[in-house]
Amino acid sequence: MFESLGDRLQGVFDSLRGRGRLTEVEVKAALREVRVALLEADVNLEVARDFTKRVQEKAIGSDTLMSLQPDQRVIAIVHDELVELLGGKAAQPNLKNEANVWMLLGLQGAGKTTTAGKLAYKYKSQGRRPLLIAADTQRPAAREQLRVLGRQIGVPVLEVEDGETPERTKARLGEYLRANYRDLVIVDTAGRLQIDEALMDAVADLKEALGPNETMLVIDAMTGQQSLPVAQAFDARVGISGLIMTKLDGDARGGAALSAKHVTGKPIYFAGMSEKIDGLEPFHPDRVAGRILGMGDVLTLIEKAKVLEGDDEDGPASLKDFTLQDMLTQMRKIKRMGSFTDILKMVPGASKMMPPGTEIDEGEIGRIEAIISSMTDKERRQPKLLNASRRKRIAAGSGTSVQDVNRLMKNYEQMKKLMKQFGRRPPRNLPGGRGLGR
Amino acid sequence: MAWFDRLRQGLGKTRDLLTTDVRDLGRAWEMEWDDLEFALIGADTGAKIAAEIVAEAKRERERGTSFRESLEKALLDQLEPNRMRQKLRRVGFNLDVSRNLVEVKGKVVMVVGVNGVGKTTTIAKLGQYYTERGQRVMFAAGDTFRAAATAQLEVWGGRLGIPTVSGPDGSDPGAVAFDAAHARRARGLDLLFVDTAGRLHTKHNLMEELKKVKRVITKADPDEPREVWLVLDAVTGQNGLAQAKKFHEAVGVTGVVVTKLDGTAKGGILLPIVRELELPIKFIGVGEKAEDLQPYDAAAYVRALLDMPETAAA
Ligand SMILES: Nc1nc2c(ncn2[C@@H]2O[C@H](COP(=O)(O)OP(=O)(O)O)[C@@H](O)[C@H]2O)c(=O)[nH]1
Ligand SMILES: [Mg+2]
């Protein structure tokens, strides 16, 4: 697995730490590392070059190198520039009171159809009346896919027929809208290569006919260096107004979409976070910057936790009282937010604390449950009581080993410590750090 | 050779979009090593492999070999996991893969990969390829998760005249795979391609499900599946290596198919994959039609990558 940019930078700066100042040469060497790390996050080469050039100018041109903690200052400049690169603020597509037409474009397999369904679902639950248009007449059963999705979420689907002209599609849509009130039309188009002249012309014609107020390019988060020419070509030939990044729930760092955003100057509206119909979230540039830097995606995590907080009557009263029972409750909740491996990625520093390649054993929760269940109430509330003989009893009772129990206790201590770092307020539902893996 | 032309055409079309491009290399008589390194990274090889190739090409160049040949050699070494074939190729023996049938061990091939890479389409293409070569093929529509994925493969099966075993959407993929493996045996057909739902390699439960599908096939047909092919989209960046690793760990990948090489993507992530996991590349996908599949040939791939005329190295 790749080292995160944050880990990499930390490595470079660790070797410099403790010296009162950094030299220009040292900063340049560090920035070479930054460039390599950006490339490993699939940031486009040209974009990465520009980026390091700008950071270098800022770092060397200022009094940064003479400041008290020059290493931290340089990291801060890198972070700020990265946020800048990602677009700074979150942006949402333009949604008028009525007569919205949004069109989705992209390469084959980017995730357009699924995204169309997710958008329809999202805005329907906000009180809109969406209509889906299945314009992918190319891939076998693509229209059927959208028809099924539409049925699942209760949104009508207008299917473009084989060989239908854009004018005809426009006329059919007009007819439909005269008979049925719909305020948001979402058009799913066939995937196409940006170099396929005929198909690019065809989609440009469709756009011309339908006159969408948003034209969004759907980009797979796992895309590599090609994101730049792809985005440029779609923008130049068809014209796009925003981007959607899909499959960000994997471990791809998403540098490609970042580059696409950078070169087109168009905002990233949404990120696809799961295969489920509700798995589309507003895109927060700063959070992805943190993800690339390896600083964790704390904000997303806290927000997720908040959603689950409604049923949280049994959370710890205060940090001091955080007991093993609480730990179990929290872990079960976290489990509902996704796999531990996914969640840990959002915890700041967690990726650094774990040896590279560590995998979280998802079966661990079962063992933890067994161990905690084998404790008495008193032991759960006062873990200090757990001496060697009690631990032996618990191990036997839960069908685990004393080492397992010891490891759990270590995790617990660390979790407690970690939660303290989050300050007074939001201790609820935050996961533990190191040691859940084996 | 049609695919080669298409591939090269594709690679040639966006020339002006990047300043330094790996496609310039074939033509360049000599270039800065730094530029070469960045050009390779631009082709998605990753920084580490790019540095290795540069170092290797440099060594070769210092021995007096021409720049182009040095580079071609360095690239080919990375792309040939099989030491024996690597040696054969070095002494000038070139296998013409396109004329040989790409052999399948056993009878059942499970096809796996992340979402949208082209698994289902590739299965259709594989069906066409092996049917054309006299094999009797069957499909299993094992993607019961994505809406209408089953219908997608059934359409292909219908077009190609290949029997397709399927279950209702949302049903157990293991059951479909089991029925199909069983049916193939009962009917004595030569090959079964089992489609699976796309899944991100980081999803623990879904990877477990994939293992189960594999086990279930073995239950219906002991010793099968002998092959598990990973489909990889050429446009994939550095994440491709993690994908290959995780799928390999879970179900033991025996071959890779790279799709969408008809676009501008160069599939450079293949290099670290071949290098680290020593997985053979079986086929490349060069379009959306059933015939848009070609046996993989490392030398041709490198030549297309560098935009060298095909005869130059033949
Ligand atoms: N241009 C091109 N498109 C391809 C290729 N292989 C598959 N596709 C397209 O990629 C999209 C996703 O393919 P599909 O087989 O449904 O992917 P799956 O989700 O992995 O099964 C479809 O639109 C295919 O037509 C290829 O080699 N070249
Ligand atoms: Mg499929």
Side-chain angles (χ1 to χ4, degrees):
Chain A
M1 220 58 45
F2 313 108
E3 254 184 303
S4 73
L5 175 52
D7 294 347
R8 226 177 230 284
L9 268 181
Q10 210 58 57
V12 176
F13 290 122
D14 277 351
S15 62
L16 306 173
R17 183 150 296 138
R19 304 208 225 147
R21 47 186 294 191
L22 298 179
T23 68
E24 207 174 305
V25 176
E26 286 164 342
V27 171
K28 279 190 178 149
L31 287 180
R32 213 190 139 77
E33 287 290 303
V34 174
R35 188 161 68 182
V36 173
L38 286 173
L39 293 173
E40 283 190 353
D42 292 320
V43 172
N44 183 273
L45 196 58
E46 310 288 319
V47 178
R49 265 187 192 155
D50 276 7
F51 179 83
T52 44
K53 214 164 83 200
R54 266 199 321 278
V55 174
Q56 185 168 320
E57 275 160 14
K58 278 200 178 172
I60 294 175
S62 67
D63 51 3
T64 302
L65 302 184
M66 316 293 262
S67 65
L68 265 180
Q69 287 182 302
D71 52 347
Q72 293 305 323
R73 278 289 301 140
V74 174
I75 292 179
I77 293 175
V78 171
H79 180 263
D80 293 350
E81 281 292 319
L82 206 53
V83 172
E84 180 66 37
L85 180 69
L86 279 155
K89 280 198 302 288
Q92 285 298 289
N94 173 18
L95 188 61
K96 301 178 293 184
N97 277 338
E98 52 184 31
N100 292 283
V101 178
W102 294 358
M103 208 164 145
L104 300 182
L105 308 172
L107 295 177
Q108 291 96 339
K112 292 171 296 300
T113 309
T114 313
T115 303
K118 287 175 176 177
L119 281 171
Y121 174 80
K122 186 183 192 74
Y123 286 94
K124 188 188 176 201
S125 35
Q126 291 176 14
R128 292 283 174 165
R129 293 174 61 83
L131 167 72
L132 284 161
I133 298 193
D136 181 355
T137 53
Q138 191 85 10
R139 205 198 70 200
R143 283 169 288 184
E144 185 166 346
Q145 184 185 349
L146 200 61
R147 199 191 310 144
V148 171
L149 284 174
R151 205 186 311 128
Q152 280 168 5
I153 59 176
V155 170
V157 179
L158 185 70
E159 290 180 41
V160 172
E161 273 148 27
D162 286 345
E164 192 174 289
T165 62
E167 284 68 35
R168 175 92 190 104
T169 306
K170 183 187 175 188
R172 286 184 58 209
L173 173 61
E175 239 168 77
Y176 184 95
L177 292 178
R178 272 190 295 281
N180 308 273
Y181 178 77
R182 295 281 139 189
D183 53 11
L184 174 58
V185 176
I186 298 166
V187 188
D188 177 32
T189 63
R192 65 201 75 225
L193 295 168
Q194 85 280 12
I195 49 165
D196 192 321
E197 306 281 339
L199 289 183
M200 290 299 275
D201 284 345
V203 81
D205 289 348
L206 184 64
K207 185 188 169 190
E208 172 98 30
L210 297 181
N213 56 324
E214 286 280 359
T215 309
M216 307 182 215
L217 180 68
V218 179
I219 299 183
D220 187 325
M222 293 177 280
T223 309
Q225 293 289 321
Q226 283 296 306
S227 65
L228 191 142
V230 168
Q232 278 175 333
F234 271 97
D235 195 26
R237 295 287 303 266
V238 191
I240 58 174
S241 55
L243 304 160
I244 296 180
M245 191 183 338
T246 58
K247 309 177 202 173
L248 200 60
D249 48 331
D251 57 359
R253 301 212 177 274
L258 187 158
S259 308
K261 194 231 138 278
H262 183 67
V263 294
T264 59
K266 304 291 168 11
I268 302 176
Y269 293 138
F270 298 105
M273 298 302 292
S274 90
E275 285 189 83
K276 299 204 191 75
I277 195 76
D278 62 353
L280 191 71
E281 298 178 4
F283 180 82
H284 295 282
D286 49 335
R287 297 182 193 178
V288 172
R291 178 182 171 116
I292 288 177
L293 272 168
M295 303 212 302
D297 203 353
V298 198
L299 294 174
T300 307
L301 187 64
I302 289 176
E303 241 163 53
K304 276 198 173 192
K306 271 196 196 132
V307 173
L308 295 172
E309 214 165 331
D311 51 83
D312 184 21
E313 294 313 317
D314 42 10
S318 82
L319 281 172
K320 253 200 346 259
D321 303 335
F322 183 73
T323 64
L324 281 160
Q325 182 59 49
D326 293 329
M327 176 172 175
L328 185 60
T329 315
Q330 304 310 312
M331 286 182 96
R332 285 190 181 135
K333 274 193 189 130
I334 290 159
K335 187 84 185 147
R336 275 192 279 148
M337 297 197 282
S339 76
F340 278 125
T341 322
D342 293 346
I343 297 291
L344 264 186
K345 262 185 270 157
M346 299 185 204
V347 178
S351 59
K352 248 190 98 192
M353 279 165 19
M354 291 190 293
T358 316
E359 264 309 306
I360 308 304
D361 176 1
E362 306 278 339
E364 179 96 357
I365 183 122
R367 270 190 295 282
I368 292 176
E369 269 185 297
I371 294 172
I372 298 184
S373 313
S374 298
M375 296 177 183
T376 65
D377 271 358
K378 204 165 165 203
E379 284 167 345
R380 277 180 223 172
R381 267 179 285 113
Q382 291 171 268
K384 287 219 170 67
L385 293 176
L386 292 173
N387 57 20
S389 73
R390 281 179 192 248
R391 287 184 191 208
K392 226 191 234 159
R393 188 206 79 229
I394 290 164
S398 58
T400 58
S401 67
V402 175
Q403 283 98 301
D404 285 331
V405 178
N406 290 342
R407 206 178 51 241
L408 169 68
M409 293 315 296
K410 227 163 93 198
N411 288 343
Y412 164 70
E413 291 301 332
Q414 262 155 357
M415 197 160 171
K416 222 171 140 175
K417 222 185 285 162
L418 204 96
M419 292 180 91
K420 264 180 204 158
Q421 290 172 8
F422 284 111
R424 276 149 267 138
R425 248 243 91 228
R428 297 184 158 200
N429 300 321
L430 286 170
R434 186 215 314 254
L436 295 169
R438 3 185 58 198
Chain B
M1 203 190 277
W3 78 266
F4 178 80
D5 287 337
R6 290 189 68 167
L7 189 53
R8 221 176 60 207
Q9 257 173 30
L11 293 173
K13 270 179 193 159
T14 44
R15 291 201 47 80
D16 42 338
L17 286 173
L18 290 173
T19 45
T20 310
D21 195 297
V22 77
R23 293 185 303 265
D24 295 329
L25 303 180
R27 246 168 269 112
W29 179 73
E30 187 91 62
M31 77 191 295
E32 293 289 333
W33 293 113
D34 251 10
D35 289 343
L36 170 60
E37 190 170 339
F38 285 126
L40 289 167
I41 292 170
D44 288 319
T45 61
K48 193 168 143 240
I49 296 279
E52 272 178 39
I53 291 169
V54 168
E56 182 54 39
K58 233 178 192 169
R59 261 197 299 281
E60 198 61 47
R61 181 81 186 93
E62 273 153 22
R63 279 188 215 119
T65 318
S66 80
F67 176 77
R68 205 159 108 170
E69 253 179 83
S70 307
L71 177 57
E72 203 187 343
K73 255 190 171 154
L75 279 165
L76 270 171
D77 278 1
Q78 294 278 349
L79 278 166
E80 185 58 87
N82 184 316
R83 298 292 149 207
M84 190 60 208
R85 289 197 21 201
Q86 196 178 93
K87 271 195 199 131
L88 283 173
R89 192 178 34 70
R90 277 197 175 157
V91 297
F93 179 81
N94 266 315
L95 228 75
D96 185 355
V97 278
S98 60
R99 239 168 260 153
N100 288 291
L101 181 76
V102 178
E103 301 273 354
V104 177
K105 277 183 247 128
K107 306 280 186 194
V108 182
V109 183
M110 205 172 139
V111 177
V112 302
V114 300
N115 317 69
V117 287
K119 290 175 294 302
T120 307
T121 312
T122 297
I123 286 180
K125 294 174 184 175
L126 289 166
Q128 158 108 352
Y129 176 87
Y130 286 104
T131 305
E132 252 178 10
R133 282 156 186 80
Q135 308 261 33
R136 289 181 315 149
V137 177
M138 178 180 240
F139 292 157
D143 181 356
T144 53
F145 179 79
R146 207 205 67 201
T150 294
Q152 187 185 349
L153 191 59
E154 281 172 344
V155 169
W156 280 115
R159 279 186 199 166
L160 300 167
I162 292 173
T164 306
V165 176
S166 59
D169 277 5
S171 65
D172 174 17
V176 175
F178 184 89
D179 288 351
H182 217 269
R184 188 217 55 85
R185 259 181 98 185
R187 294 167 64 172
L189 300 181
D190 301 308
L191 283 173
L192 169 67
F193 291 99
V194 181
D195 196 6
T196 60
R199 66 201 73 219
L200 294 178
H201 51 289
T202 51
K203 306 259 155 140
H204 178 79
N205 295 345
L206 295 180
M207 295 307 275
E208 287 299 312
E209 180 196 83
L210 200 61
K211 288 184 195 168
K212 192 186 142 210
V213 170
K214 190 180 176 193
R215 281 196 303 270
V216 159
I217 293 173
T218 313
K219 255 189 209 151
D221 193 353
D223 297 336
E224 299 288 353
R226 293 281 300 280
E227 301 262 17
V228 177
W229 290 355
L230 174 75
V231 179
L232 194 86
D233 187 332
V235 87
T236 311
Q238 297 310 295
N239 192 247
L241 183 57
Q243 288 173 27
K245 274 186 187 163
K246 285 292 162 66
F247 276 100
H248 192 39
E249 268 167 40
V251 285
V253 172
T254 61
V256 177
V257 179
V258 188
T259 59
K260 310 186 197 175
L261 272 167
D262 48 327
T264 50
K266 298 158 196 89
I269 189 63
L270 279 184
L271 276 79
I273 290 176
V274 168
R275 165 66 176 248
E276 274 200 39
L277 304 176
E278 304 206 348
L279 294 175
I281 318 282
K282 299 286 185 184
F283 288 96
I284 63 171
V286 288
E288 296 187 78
K289 295 194 295 299
E291 63 267 29
D292 294 332
L293 184 78
Q294 296 292 334
Y296 167 80
D297 172 2
Y301 172 69
V302 168
R303 290 196 301 272
L305 196 66
L306 302 179
D307 198 18
M308 294 180 187
E310 203 199 348
T311 43

